């Protein structure tokens, strides 16, 4: 198809058709017999042309530039039309270059559709965009890039303006959507007017953004607000230049304000909850010529209805708290800048000081209110710092890690409460949960409560994620080295009810050798799972972790591991698992990284599990999980039967002994104690015979002493040289030595006659306690004459041989 473009000379319009930047000339323009890549049609020309391809919109663009001189002649005020007609369907850019005196002002009014300013690089949804530039002397200033369907209704400029309209090839737009009007001098760079209706928000930025605002310039935004709405201003991003004179500032003119204009620094919280229309101006300064810096501003204006509870204040008493900060914010505020479509919630310290984010610090009392349709959109993030630089001042002190009531009483859901526990290198932290205890969150044993604790041990070089825990488990306390961060995170609305008995506490303790020590009292009704910190990424190299498992006296613990091996190979050092019971002589079980882990085993006493890491050869780190269960101690049935049988046997033996003794007492002679002087009481080579000293054994105590045992009849031939001592036995109360009893004095036995066989060697001493003394038992009713005694000795083979030999030599 052919196209004909005819330009009137009076329109002062030029049309240029050229290739898109960066494309090869696969398609050309043919004018009669001439083939070209670019066609320029000047005022007064009439040109007919065709394309050498069927899809020229893929290769070519069209620029239509109209120059308007308002200095030397009258300006064509009114609606701006798209001229010339009959252009090929290509991407088009209309440019209106209007030159005007700096003593006059030009107004661009967008009557068809108001505009929405976008950041550089952002695209408009319908690909229709306006770019507005102004002149300061000979320098061009970019006022901004705008899309259709926004709130900007008018832009007033000082001096000339270059207005561009970009249209896609497929959009058959016939009108520019704006008109040009003449205004008196505005005495500033520009004025941008925005009309806001309904609950909404708009984003605007300073000219040349993100580059610098012109030096010592002034510009104004006018906001037209319905009287029944409230507006708030928020600065999303800004930077300041280096001023030599004046000061960069923002001024507000608010109808009804007693202090117009209200002046704010860019770093201040900007006015909020403004009723009605207002103006906002940005003022630059004289910049340092050597280091000017950049003044730029990106801000947002939020429009909303007055809230029913905007006059309801909430008391937040942090006067008794120390090192606490409480931040109230919109959910997800840390991850991105809020979009215009997101819910609008403001937190106010007073009726005019409101913000999306409000931070309260300890040591003060606050009265805050909320401008928010739904408070469930808001969250609280709080932080408390607890430090110890000298163990003497904080060792015995116990700190409560509970959320202050000033926070829980607010009608806002708590998102996080962070405790930062800071101490020197030789001071460690102990976390306790005396009543609720803690449960470690593992895949087999998940935390299902509305909140949990995440514990991290950190140094400037490394960070160890100890794990995630929740109340209702078996871990009584955790001792850790380094600085500790504990983060309480909530997952639902039930936190306030579930956390009423918060019992998490901490204290500072002296240095520990392990990186972390857990004290665990397993729940007898459940299987307790425990795993190494930094799960699933593994323990850092050369880190040691210990668990102390307490076992009740009437129960048995069973310990098992979730895998067969540690699963690592060491480059330097060794990785070990040590298991040892707290019992005298208990065996210590040790496994290296190249050995199989122990099979499930029973533990009868409190026991330790220690895991020590090496430096692995690859990125795979040591991860280990084990479990513990408790059960009542079971007594083996075989042992019970053996004990019962043994007791029965002992009972029978005891009855038999009693019967034999009773029978012997009736048939034996009177008991006569005879001393054997040929017995060596200290046997050579038998030093260990008396393993106990005499103080500790009963070798010197007679088992039975009868009244009939006398010694006078044995000494009748002594002629009175020695008076025989005849008496009953009296207990010896003097000191007792460590040796067996000594023989009696020689004078007691010098006249004793011996039998013919008395010269024989004495019988060897056996290894029994009964070899030194023997006892003969008297029959009841018999006399003690020697003949009967000898007769009895010959006839009773149960009498010891030693007694027979001695009695044979006793003839009286």
């Amino acid at each position: 198809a052919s196209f004909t473009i005819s330009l009137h000379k009076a329109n002062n319009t030029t049309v240029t058709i050229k290739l898109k930047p960066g494309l090869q000339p696969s398609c050309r323009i043919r004018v009669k017999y001439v083939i070209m890549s670019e066609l320029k049609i000047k005022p007064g020309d009439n040109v007919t042309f065709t394309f050498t391809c069927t899809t020229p919109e893929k290769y070519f663009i069209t620029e239509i530039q109209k120059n308007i001189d308002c200095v030397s002649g009258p300006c064509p005020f009114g609606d701006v039309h798209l001229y010339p007609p009959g252009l090929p369907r290509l991407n088009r850019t209309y440019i209106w270059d209007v030159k005007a005196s700096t003593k006059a002002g030009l107004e661009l009014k967008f009557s068809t559709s108001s505009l929405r300013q976008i950041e550089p690089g952002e695209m408009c949804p319908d690909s229709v965009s306006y770019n507005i530039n102004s002149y300061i002397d000979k320098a061009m200033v970019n006022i901004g890039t705008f899309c259709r369907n926004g709130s900007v209704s008018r832009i007033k400029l000082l001096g000339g303006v270059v207005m561009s309209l970009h249209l896609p090839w497929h959009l058959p737009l016939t009108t520019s959507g704006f008109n040009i009007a003449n205004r008196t001098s505005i005495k500033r760079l520009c004025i941008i007017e925005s009309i806001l209706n309904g609950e909404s928000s708009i984003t605007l930025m300073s000219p040349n953004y993100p580059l610098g605002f012109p030096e010592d310039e002034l510009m104004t935004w006018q906001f037209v607000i319905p009287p029944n709405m409230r507006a708030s201003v928020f600065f999303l991003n800004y930077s300041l230049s280096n001023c030599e004179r004046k000061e960069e500032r923002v001024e507000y003119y608010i109808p009804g304000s007693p202090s117009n204009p209200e002046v704010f620094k860019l770093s201040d919280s900007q006015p909020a909850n403004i009723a009605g229309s207002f103006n906002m101006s940005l003022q630059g300064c004289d910049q340092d010529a050597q280091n000017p810096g950049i003044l730029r501003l990106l801000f947002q204006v939020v429009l909303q209805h007055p809230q029913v509870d905007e006059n309801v204040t909430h008391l937040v008493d942090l006067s008794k708290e120390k090192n606490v900060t409480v931040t109230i914010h919109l959910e997800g505020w840390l991850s991105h800048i809020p979009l215009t479509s997101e819910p609008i919630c403001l937190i106010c310290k007073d009726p005019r000081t409101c913000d999306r984010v409000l931070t309260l610090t300890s040591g003060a009392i606050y009265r805050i209110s909320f401008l928010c349709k739904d408070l469930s959109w808001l969250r609280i993030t709080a932080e408390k710092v607890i430090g110890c630089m000298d163990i003497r001042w904080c060792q015995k002190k116990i700190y409560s890690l509970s959320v202050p009531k000033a926070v829980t009483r607010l009608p806002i859901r708590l998102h996080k409460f962070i405790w930062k526990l800071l101490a020197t290198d030789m001071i460690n932290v102990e976390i306790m949960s005396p009543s609720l205890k803690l449960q470690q969150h593992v895949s087999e044993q998940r935390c299902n409560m509305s909140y949990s604790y995440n514990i991290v041990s950190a140094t400037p070089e490394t960070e160890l994620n100890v794990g995630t825990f929740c109340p209702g488990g078996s871990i009584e306390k955790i001792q850790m080295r380094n600085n500790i961060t504990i983060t309480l995170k909530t997952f639902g609305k039930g936190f306030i009810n579930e956390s009423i008995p918060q019992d998490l506490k901490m204290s500072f303790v002296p240095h520990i050798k392990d990186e972390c020590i857990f004290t665990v009292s397993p729940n007898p009704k459940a299987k307790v799972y425990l795993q190494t910190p930094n799960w699933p990424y593994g323990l850092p190299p050369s880190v040691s972790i210990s668990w102390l498992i307490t076992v009740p006296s009437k129960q048995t613990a069973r310990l098992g591991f979730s895998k067969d091996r540690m699963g690592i190979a060491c480059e330097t050092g060794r990785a070990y698992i040590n298991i040892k019971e707290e019992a005298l002589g208990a065996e210590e079980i040790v496994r290296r990284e190249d050995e199989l882990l122990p099979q499930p085993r029973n533990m009868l006493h409190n026991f330790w599990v220690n895991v020590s890491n090496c430096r692995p050869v690859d990125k795979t780190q040591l991860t280990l999980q084990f479990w513990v269960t408790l059960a009542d101690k079971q007594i083996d049935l075989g042992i019970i039967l053996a004990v019962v049988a043994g007791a029965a046997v002992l009972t029978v033996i005891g009855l038999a002994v009693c019967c034999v003794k009773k029978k012997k007492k009736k048939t034996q002679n009177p008991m006569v104690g005879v001393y054997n002087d040929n017995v060596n009481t200290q046997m050579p080579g038998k030093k260990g015979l008396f393993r106990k000293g005499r103080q500790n054994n009963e070798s010197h105590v007679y088992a039975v002493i009868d009244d009939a045992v006398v010694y006078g009849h044995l000494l009748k031939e002594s002629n009175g040289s020695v008076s025989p001592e005849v008496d009953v036995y009296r207990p010896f109360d003097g000191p007792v030595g460590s040796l067996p009893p000594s023989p009696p004095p020689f004078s007691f036995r010098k006249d004793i006659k011996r039998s013919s066989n008395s010269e024989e060697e004495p019988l060897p001493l056996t290894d029994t306690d009964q070899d030194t003394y023997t006892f003969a038992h008297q029959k009841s009713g018999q006399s003690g004459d020697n003949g009967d005694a000898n007769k009895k000795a010959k006839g009773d083979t149960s009498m010891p041989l030693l007694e027979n030999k001695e009695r044979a030599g006793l003839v009286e």
Side-chain angles (χ1 to χ4, degrees):
S2 62
F3 302 92
T4 300
I5 297 178
S6 179
L7 299 178
H8 300 289
K9 195 170 186 178
N11 283 332
N12 202 16
T13 300
T14 301
V15 176
T16 303
I17 301 174
K18 57 185 179 179
L19 284 169
K20 292 181 178 180
L23 291 182
Q24 296 295 327
S26 302
C27 184
R28 301 293 185 92
I29 302 172
R30 178 183 289 113
V31 180
K32 294 183 179 180
Y33 302 105
V34 179
I35 302 296
M36 59 188 69
S37 299
E38 182 176 320
L39 174 63
K40 188 171 186 179
I41 305 171
K42 298 179 181 179
D45 291 346
N46 189 350
V47 178
T48 300
F49 62 92
T50 59
F51 295 100
T52 60
C53 61
T54 58
T55 57
E57 66 275 7
K58 294 181 179 180
Y59 306 98
F60 291 95
I61 58 174
T62 303
E63 283 187 0
I64 305 99
Q65 180 168 337
K66 181 178 178 65
N67 297 320
I68 302 173
D69 188 358
C70 294
V71 176
S72 58
C75 282
F77 298 124
D79 292 336
V80 176
H81 301 284
L82 299 181
Y83 177 85
L87 294 173
R89 289 167 58 89
L90 304 176
N91 290 344
R92 293 157 287 164
T93 299
Y94 291 89
I95 302 171
W96 293 272
D97 188 347
V98 182
K99 291 180 173 58
S101 171
T102 57
K103 297 180 180 179
L106 292 177
E107 178 182 281
L108 304 178
K109 185 176 182 179
F110 304 93
S111 54
T112 304
S113 175
S114 297
L115 303 184
R116 175 175 62 86
Q117 189 172 10
I118 61 174
E119 296 185 50
E122 188 178 348
M123 300 297 295
C124 295
D126 58 0
S127 300
V128 177
S129 63
Y130 295 85
N131 186 266
I132 303 172
N133 295 273
S134 181
Y135 288 104
I136 297 178
D137 297 329
K138 293 183 179 180
M140 184 173 287
V141 179
N142 181 18
I143 302 301
T145 303
F146 302 83
C147 302
R148 298 192 295 179
N149 302 318
S151 64
V152 176
S153 57
R154 289 188 297 180
I155 299 179
K156 302 173 186 179
L157 302 115
L158 182 66
V161 61
V162 177
M163 177 74 173
S164 302
L165 171 61
H166 303 277
L167 299 175
W169 67 271
H170 55 81
L171 189 64
L173 195 64
T174 58
T175 176
S176 66
F178 72 96
N179 60 49
I180 300 177
N182 186 21
R183 288 291 181 266
T184 58
S185 177
I186 58 176
K187 299 181 181 180
R188 60 200 69 204
L189 175 62
C190 66
I191 299 174
I192 299 177
E193 179 187 84
S194 292
I195 301 176
L196 288 84
N197 292 297
E199 289 198 335
S200 60
S201 66
I202 61 170
T203 301
L204 297 166
M205 59 209 74
S206 58
N208 280 344
Y209 188 88
L211 301 178
F213 185 69
E215 180 181 4
D216 196 23
E217 281 294 334
L218 172 67
M219 75 160 294
T220 299
W221 291 270
Q222 293 179 338
F223 300 100
V224 180
I225 308 295
N228 64 333
M229 303 296 287
R230 301 290 184 269
S232 302
V233 180
F234 305 99
F235 286 1
L236 305 179
N237 186 26
Y238 70 89
S239 65
L240 302 175
S241 58
N242 299 315
C243 298
E244 282 189 345
R245 291 186 303 154
K246 301 182 183 179
E247 185 179 9
E248 295 165 338
R249 63 190 185 274
V250 180
E251 298 179 354
Y252 293 88
Y253 181 84
I254 302 173
S257 173
S259 57
N260 278 325
E262 297 185 19
V263 181
F264 292 80
K265 296 179 180 180
L266 275 74
S267 58
D268 293 337
S269 293
Q270 304 302 308
N273 203 26
I274 302 171
S277 302
F278 67 98
N279 294 349
M280 170 184 148
S281 298
L282 176 64
Q283 175 67 64
C285 67
D286 291 334
Q287 299 174 350
D288 184 354
Q290 301 298 324
N291 183 22
I294 293 177
L295 170 62
R296 59 186 173 191
L297 175 62
L298 174 69
F299 68 99
Q300 193 173 44
V301 178
V302 176
L303 192 68
Q304 61 189 137
H305 289 287
Q307 301 303 313
V308 177
D309 57 349
E310 65 177 308
N311 295 323
V312 177
T313 59
H314 301 269
L315 184 68
V316 184
D317 187 358
L318 299 178
S319 59
K320 297 181 181 179
E321 298 292 337
K322 293 182 180 180
N323 302 321
V324 174
T325 58
V326 178
T327 302
I328 306 173
H329 55 87
L330 194 68
E331 185 177 14
W333 68 291
L334 290 174
S335 58
H336 65 284
I337 295 175
L339 302 175
T340 57
S341 59
E342 291 185 352
I344 301 168
C345 276
L346 303 178
I347 308 101
C348 304
K349 287 196 292 186
D350 58 62
R352 286 283 303 281
T353 307
C354 303
D355 209 335
R356 293 181 185 272
V357 179
L358 179 63
T359 299
L360 311 176
T361 57
S362 55
I365 299 176
Y366 302 89
R367 288 175 174 83
I368 64 175
S369 60
F370 303 100
L371 299 178
C372 189
K373 276 187 174 181
D374 189 351
L375 294 181
S376 65
W377 296 335
L378 294 176
R379 295 289 182 269
I380 296 175
T381 297
E383 180 179 300
K384 181 179 178 68
V385 178
I386 303 174
C388 178
M389 299 298 110
D390 190 340
I391 193 65
R392 294 175 298 176
W393 296 103
C394 40
Q395 182 176 5
K396 296 182 180 180
K397 188 173 182 180
I398 296 177
Y399 301 84
S400 175
L401 302 184
S402 58
V403 180
K405 292 183 179 179
V407 175
T408 58
R409 286 172 179 170
L410 286 172
I412 309 298
R413 176 179 150 187
L414 178 66
H415 176 56
K416 287 182 181 179
F417 200 103
I418 303 168
W419 290 274
K420 293 187 175 180
L421 314 178
L422 308 178
T424 59
D425 292 341
M426 298 307 294
I427 302 175
N428 299 139
V429 172
E430 180 177 284
I431 300 171
M432 302 155 285
S433 183
S435 59
L436 296 179
K437 300 182 184 178
L438 294 176
Q439 171 189 315
Q440 188 171 14
H441 177 83
V442 299
S443 57
E444 294 83 1
Q445 184 177 272
R446 297 181 178 274
C447 289
N448 296 319
M449 299 190 68
S450 63
Y451 68 101
S452 67
Y453 299 99
N454 183 258
I455 303 175
V456 176
S457 171
T459 64
E461 297 80 18
T462 60
E463 182 175 284
L464 179 68
N465 186 357
V466 179
T468 300
F469 304 86
C470 58
S474 300
I475 301 174
E476 290 185 346
K477 63 182 180 180
I478 308 173
Q479 292 178 316
M480 291 166 288
R481 294 164 58 183
N482 309 321
N483 294 328
I484 307 299
T485 299
I486 303 175
T487 302
L488 183 152
K489 187 174 182 181
T490 65
F491 304 101
K493 297 180 180 180
F495 164 72
I496 295 177
N497 295 329
E498 290 183 4
S499 65
I500 289 175
Q502 295 179 69
D503 77 332
L504 193 66
K505 297 175 173 57
M506 64 80 54
S507 61
F508 293 100
V509 296
H511 185 71
I512 60 174
K513 66 174 184 177
D514 290 333
E515 196 73 26
C516 189
I517 299 176
F518 298 83
T519 300
V520 185
S521 296
N523 185 348
K525 298 181 181 179
K527 197 173 191 178
V528 178
Y529 288 89
L530 300 166
Q531 64 188 20
T532 51
N534 238 36
W535 191 278
Y537 306 106
L539 281 179
S542 306
V543 166
S544 177
I545 308 293
S546 293
W547 291 263
L548 172 59
I549 316 296
T550 60
V551 182
S553 59
K554 296 183 179 180
Q555 291 183 310
T556 301
R558 189 162 182 82
L559 168 68
F561 292 88
S562 299
K563 57 182 182 181
D564 295 333
R565 294 180 179 271
M566 297 189 203
I568 61 168
C570 293
E571 180 180 1
T572 58
R574 287 285 194 179
Y576 288 98
I577 292 179
N578 298 63
I579 305 169
K580 187 173 183 180
E581 286 187 288
E582 285 189 335
L584 186 62
E587 176 190 4
E588 183 172 6
I589 303 169
V590 181
R591 294 291 187 273
R592 295 196 311 253
E593 79 281 354
D594 56 350
E595 297 176 328
L596 289 173
L597 295 179
Q599 293 296 318
R601 58 190 300 113
N602 293 334
M603 314 296 285
L604 304 179
H605 306 89
N606 298 347
F607 64 95
W608 287 88
V609 177
N610 174 266
V611 177
S612 300
N613 197 12
C614 62
R615 184 172 295 279
V617 295
D618 52 24
K619 294 182 179 180
T620 303
Q621 299 292 344
L622 174 59
T623 59
L624 196 68
Q625 184 185 90
F626 62 93
W627 49 263
V628 179
T629 58
L630 288 181
D632 293 335
K633 287 186 177 179
Q634 300 294 330
I635 301 178
D636 192 357
L637 183 59
I639 296 175
I640 296 175
L641 294 177
V643 170
V644 173
V649 170
L650 291 175
T651 302
V652 172
I653 293 173
L655 293 174
V657 169
C658 290
C659 293
V660 169
K661 284 187 176 182
K662 188 174 182 180
K663 182 177 180 180
K664 282 187 175 182
K665 191 173 182 180
K666 294 180 179 180
T667 59
Q668 289 182 349
N669 294 326
M671 292 183 289
V672 178
V674 181
Y675 176 73
N676 184 357
D677 61 340
N678 293 319
V679 175
N680 184 4
T681 59
Q682 297 182 2
M683 180 189 296
K686 293 290 184 176
K687 295 182 181 180
L689 181 63
F690 290 90
R691 293 181 176 84
K692 297 182 180 180
R694 296 195 67 205
Q695 297 94 332
N696 301 324
N697 65 43
E698 297 180 353
S699 61
H700 61 289
V701 179
Y702 289 91
V704 178
I705 297 296
D706 197 276
D707 291 343
V709 179
V710 293
Y711 301 93
H713 67 286
L714 301 177
L715 302 173
K716 289 182 180 180
E717 297 178 3
S718 64
N719 298 322
S721 61
V722 177
S723 300
E725 299 179 8
V726 180
D727 201 353
V728 296
Y729 174 77
R730 290 183 176 85
F732 177 69
D733 296 328
V736 179
S738 60
L739 296 174
S742 299
F746 180 75
S747 59
F748 277 106
R749 65 183 207 276
K750 64 180 180 178
D751 295 324
I752 298 177
K753 294 183 179 180
R754 304 181 63 87
S755 63
S756 61
N757 60 356
S758 62
E759 298 298 325
E760 296 177 6
E761 291 293 326
L763 293 176
L765 183 66
T766 62
D767 290 351
T768 61
D769 298 350
Q770 292 80 18
D771 288 341
T772 303
Y773 300 102
T774 57
F775 297 94
H777 299 275
Q778 174 189 11
K779 289 185 180 181
S780 59
Q782 285 186 348
S783 63
D785 63 274
N786 293 332
D788 293 339
N790 290 334
K791 183 180 179 181
K792 176 65 181 177
K794 292 179 182 179
D796 187 1
T797 59
S798 66
M799 182 175 293
L801 179 60
L802 178 61
E803 185 175 345
N804 288 334
K805 290 183 178 182
E806 292 295 334
R807 288 176 61 85
L810 299 178
V811 179
E812 185 59 42

